[in-house]
């Protein structure tokens, strides 16, 4: 009987006071990471309950809009917590597919919460909180000019008749600092016309002093037949004055005579027929 009276009084109390409006919900969301990947852009948001109340976290929706305000993608990120105590933190991870990145202008996170009261509530209606995040391109970090840190050597070639030719390169860190996140970039030119952009992964991507890494360049036959020049550069991270900075370095590949030359001719790199 006392339990029934308590429940009845609880319903009466909720009816008189009511659940507080969303304006009283102090839940903060901020973007903490952007991770570009071949399959798309991964976004990570931090959600924190900075109010004194507990909230049930019902669900999260990630809406992506174009510049005209049209929704072009909708996903439902999985959350680890279902209830947010005071100062609880949850990380929300979502991804924008690569096919939509050029049109994506803004992300809106819809967070649906319900105040935890301890009393049973029939057909509760969660509160919807909306957090908007523009997708303005991030400023590119400055590139410093690197010089004679990486030594490049031809490490072999694989060729099949009528199929793409693969050039193997060996990179050696001859500097005194460790390099990380190493990648090769460049282009193959036919006269003044670029025939193919190059973005070549390096394995491993982290090189301590004296360590070696390898890269493979695949050249289609139709590009090889028209190639008149090639430029190749290495981009990497290196510690500078206690901070990590990004460097770009022009690469030189030894010619058949053994003298290092800039990688500007297909013959130098062994790409000519």
């Amino acid at each position: 009987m006392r339990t029934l009276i308590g429940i009845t009084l609880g319903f009466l109390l909720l009816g008189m006071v009511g659940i507080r409006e969303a304006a009283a919900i102090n839940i903060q969301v901020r973007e903490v990471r952007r991770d570009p990947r071949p399959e798309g852009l991964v976004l990570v948001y931090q959600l924190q309950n900075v109010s004194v109340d507990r909230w049930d976290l019902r669900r999260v929706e990630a809406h992506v809009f174009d510049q005209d305000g049209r929704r072009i993608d909708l996903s439902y990120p999985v959350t680890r917590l279902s209830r947010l105590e005071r100062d609880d933190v949850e990380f929300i991870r979502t991804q924008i597919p690569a096919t939509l990145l050029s049109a994506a202008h803004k992300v809106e996170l819809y967070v649906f919460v319900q105040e935890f009261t301890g009393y049973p509530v029939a057909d509760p209606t969660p509160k919807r909180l909306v957090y908007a995040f523009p997708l303005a391109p991030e400023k590119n970090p400055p590139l410093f000019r690197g010089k004679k840190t990486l030594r490049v050597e031809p490490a072999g070639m694989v060729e099949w008749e009528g199929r793409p030719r693969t050039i193997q390169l060996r990179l050696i860190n001859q500097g005194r600092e460790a390099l990380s996140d190493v990648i090769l970039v460049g282009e193959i030119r036919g006269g003044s016309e670029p025939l193919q952009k190059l973005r070549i992964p390096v394995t491993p991507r982290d090189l301590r002093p004296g360590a070696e890494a390898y890269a493979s360049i695949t050249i289609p036959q139709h590009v090889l037949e028209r190639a008149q020049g090639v430029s190749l550069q290495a981009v990497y991270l290196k510690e500078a004055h206690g901070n990590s900075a990004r460097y770009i370095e022009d690469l030189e590949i030894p010619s058949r005579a053994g003298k290092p030359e800039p990688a500007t001719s297909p013959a130098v790199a062994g790409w000519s027929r």
Side-chain angles (χ1 to χ4, degrees):
M1 184 56 119
R2 291 181 179 178
T3 302
L4 179 60
I5 293 174
I7 293 175
T8 304
L9 290 175
F11 275 119
L12 290 174
L13 182 61
L14 285 175
M16 291 185 293
V17 177
I19 299 177
R20 283 168 287 180
E21 294 299 319
I25 305 176
N26 196 359
I27 293 177
Q28 298 178 355
V29 178
R30 65 185 183 95
E31 182 181 314
V32 294
R33 192 170 77 244
R34 291 188 182 188
D35 187 8
R37 298 184 181 181
E39 62 271 19
L41 178 64
V42 175
L43 300 165
V44 180
Y45 300 94
Q46 177 185 291
L47 181 152
Q48 183 175 10
N49 179 21
V50 294
S51 68
V52 297
D53 301 306
R54 290 183 290 179
W55 299 92
D56 286 334
L57 181 58
R58 293 304 186 188
R59 71 180 185 277
V60 176
E61 298 175 359
H63 300 248
V64 182
F65 297 90
D66 64 11
Q67 196 165 6
D68 297 323
R70 294 172 298 193
R71 189 176 68 188
I72 58 176
D73 192 42
L74 170 62
S75 60
Y76 300 89
V78 177
T79 58
R80 177 180 53 90
L81 300 177
S82 60
R83 180 165 298 159
L84 296 172
E85 304 285 346
R86 181 178 181 180
D87 293 328
D88 272 354
V89 172
E90 174 68 291
F91 289 95
I92 300 168
R93 181 182 183 276
T94 187
Q95 177 176 303
I96 302 176
T99 53
L100 299 177
L101 274 179
S102 60
H105 181 71
K106 178 179 65 173
V107 174
E108 287 188 357
L109 286 185
Y110 291 8
V111 179
F112 294 85
V113 296
Q114 179 187 346
E115 185 177 8
F116 176 77
T117 62
Y119 300 104
V121 178
D123 299 325
T125 302
K127 302 294 183 182
R128 187 186 71 175
L129 310 178
V130 180
Y131 304 85
F133 299 91
L135 286 172
E138 294 181 322
K139 294 183 179 179
N140 293 324
L143 275 177
F144 297 93
R145 178 62 61 177
K147 188 176 181 180
K148 296 184 178 180
T149 302
L150 284 170
R151 186 170 82 247
V152 185
E153 302 173 350
M157 180 172 61
V158 180
E159 182 180 11
W160 299 272
E161 184 177 356
R163 297 184 181 182
R165 178 177 297 186
T166 300
I167 309 296
Q168 305 288 338
L169 296 177
R170 179 188 297 110
L171 292 83
I172 303 171
N173 180 7
Q174 57 184 8
R176 297 182 179 179
E177 297 87 13
L179 309 180
S180 61
D181 203 23
V182 182
I183 192 168
L184 303 184
V185 296
E187 66 179 17
I188 302 172
R189 298 186 304 277
S192 59
E193 176 189 4
L195 300 178
Q196 179 174 321
K197 295 288 186 180
L198 300 175
R199 185 176 178 85
I200 309 160
V202 174
T203 305
R205 296 185 66 180
D206 298 338
L207 290 172
R208 65 181 185 279
E212 298 181 357
Y214 293 85
S216 298
I217 306 175
T218 301
I219 313 297
Q221 188 66 31
H222 70 277
V223 173
L224 184 64
E225 292 171 352
R226 299 171 55 196
Q228 297 180 18
V230 59
S231 63
L232 198 61
Q233 298 173 311
V235 181
Y236 50 80
L237 291 174
K238 183 173 69 171
E239 290 291 325
H241 308 293
N243 296 316
S244 184
R246 191 170 293 277
Y247 289 77
I248 186 167
E249 175 181 342
D250 296 326
L251 296 182
E252 296 178 342
I253 301 176
S255 65
R256 289 186 177 89
K259 179 182 178 181
E261 299 181 11
T264 55
S265 165
V268 171
W271 293 0
S272 60
R273 303 178 70 180

